[in-house]
Amino acid sequence: MSVPPQLERAHLIGIGGAGMSGIARILLARGAKVSGSDAKDSRAFLSLRAQGARIEIGQRAENLGEPSAVVVSTAIKETNPELAAARERGIPVLHRAQALALLMEGHRVACIAGTHGKTSTTSMLTVALQHCRLDPSFAIGGDLNESGANAHHGEGGIFVAEADESDGSFLTYSPSVAVVTNVEPDHLDHHGTPEAYTAVFTEFVKRIQPDGLLIVCGDDAAASALGEQAGMRVQRYGRTVTGEDDARVLDYRATDTGGMVRISLRGEEILVPVAVPGEHMALNAVAALLAGIELGAPVDGLAEGLGAFGGVRRRFEFKGRAGDVRVYDDYAHHPTEVAAQLRAVRHAAGSGRVVVVFQPHLYSRTKTFAAEFAQALSLADEVVVLDVYGAREEPQPGVSGALIADRITGAGVHYEPAFDRVVPLAADLVKPGDLLVTMGAGDVTQLGPEILAELDRRA
């Protein structure tokens, strides 16, 4: 597969990010010349440099060289010195979604969208197709545990991509197969209102190829409504669906390592093993199964691949054990995600307690959903709430982790805004048999190994 002419010499600003590093990986595999920069070093740089990428730490105009295009994400501000220099020199600037759309050309494209579950569903579909020896190209917002990679240039004619609605950039894609797992207001800092957020999914559905397939979760009212309004071929999945071509969930049974979901599809019952815990993950697996069938993969092979799925980095990722305490890390950063994951964690904990170290992500999300976060976190036995990880946002007066901590009921609550005090506090809280999970989309992920080290030191 050739390199799109626009990307033959691509410079990626923020190349260490999940989306940008994936684009770089695919470009390098296709033989493009890739350069990039980021504010700080990243573990992603080792493999990119090994493949030939030129990467600079720190962002300066002289880093550009002579690229055919500069690729940016929404997070890159116009004041960035490299972006400003590219504008001044008349170098074409592409959003990362535009670059990814160029890489999709010539493939049969499957896009996975939704407020929650898109990374896991995209990953499940990718691994299941790999198990069927179809070697898809893929771009995912997380690293597969099987390969440690978030993207790959495959030799097959299929391209699987996570479609990000946060900034509306998924409207660049025109898939032949699209999954919408659910639609629930989020990213209101960009979209403004819940109505505007929902509307962008309506526009996404219009981007599906005329002979394509839309797959929606029938148990989610907003996703189901998208299907009703689509005016195209639609397939639903869930417990409440009744259509002849729909995948109805008959039963879900949790196991020690994951679960087993039994579905009815076109008059046949199919058992789908799920290697990660939680009924929400089982629904994701069913969505991946339907997409894989539409892409031409055999049902049996897809089911075997889903059963072998090893998970995604930061999606209930096992970090280690210290004594009789297990530590996991999870990316959940929306109240619905937090609640779904804690229900799954509760089963995994068995007779032990669930201890959560939670870091709110974005001031706008914390302000909007403080009560909902508190209700979700109340499913745990002990909760440590950190201060807000602002990411791209500036602090807002009166918005802190205390907004959530003060509303939690039914659990032990500890608000700790000092990051360096969280590890000893967490180590004080856990008891033998407990399961501790660090949770959030920010740098809370760093704390799991440190908590394990502290517990080992105390032992």
Side-chain angles (χ1 to χ4, degrees), residues 346 349-355 381-382 429-431 433-436:
R346 175 64 67 189
S351 60
R353 300 181 311 154
V354 173
V355 180
D381 296 295
E382 295 281 353
L429 289 174
V430 293
K431 300 176 182 179
D434 287 353
L435 188 156
L436 182 145

Side-chain angles (χ1 to χ4, degrees), residues 283-346:
L283 284 172
N284 293 339
V286 175
L289 178 78
L290 295 180
I293 293 171
E294 178 67 14
L295 292 167
V299 173
D300 290 348
L302 291 167
E304 288 177 5
L306 291 168
F309 174 64
V312 187
R313 181 175 174 266
R314 298 226 57 212
R315 271 65 177 183
F316 200 54
E317 179 188 4
F318 180 63
K319 305 303 290 186
R321 181 190 295 267
D324 198 25
V325 175
R326 290 170 290 161
V327 176
Y328 290 79
D329 182 45
D330 194 85
Y331 192 69
H333 56 280
H334 184 282
T336 300
E337 296 168 350
V338 172
Q341 196 58 61
L342 287 181
R343 284 191 287 268
V345 170
R346 175 64 67 189

Side-chain angles (χ1 to χ4, degrees), residues 114-115 118 163-170 186-187 191 197 200-201:
T115 310
K118 50 187 175 288
D164 181 16
E165 86 288 357
S166 65
D167 57 1
S169 61
F170 68 166
D186 196 8
H187 303 292
H191 295 285
Y197 179 83
V200 80
F201 280 92

Side-chain angles (χ1 to χ4, degrees), residues 237-248:
Y237 63 95
R239 288 188 178 272
T240 59
V241 300
T242 57
E244 183 177 343
D245 289 330
D246 294 341
R248 184 159 63 94

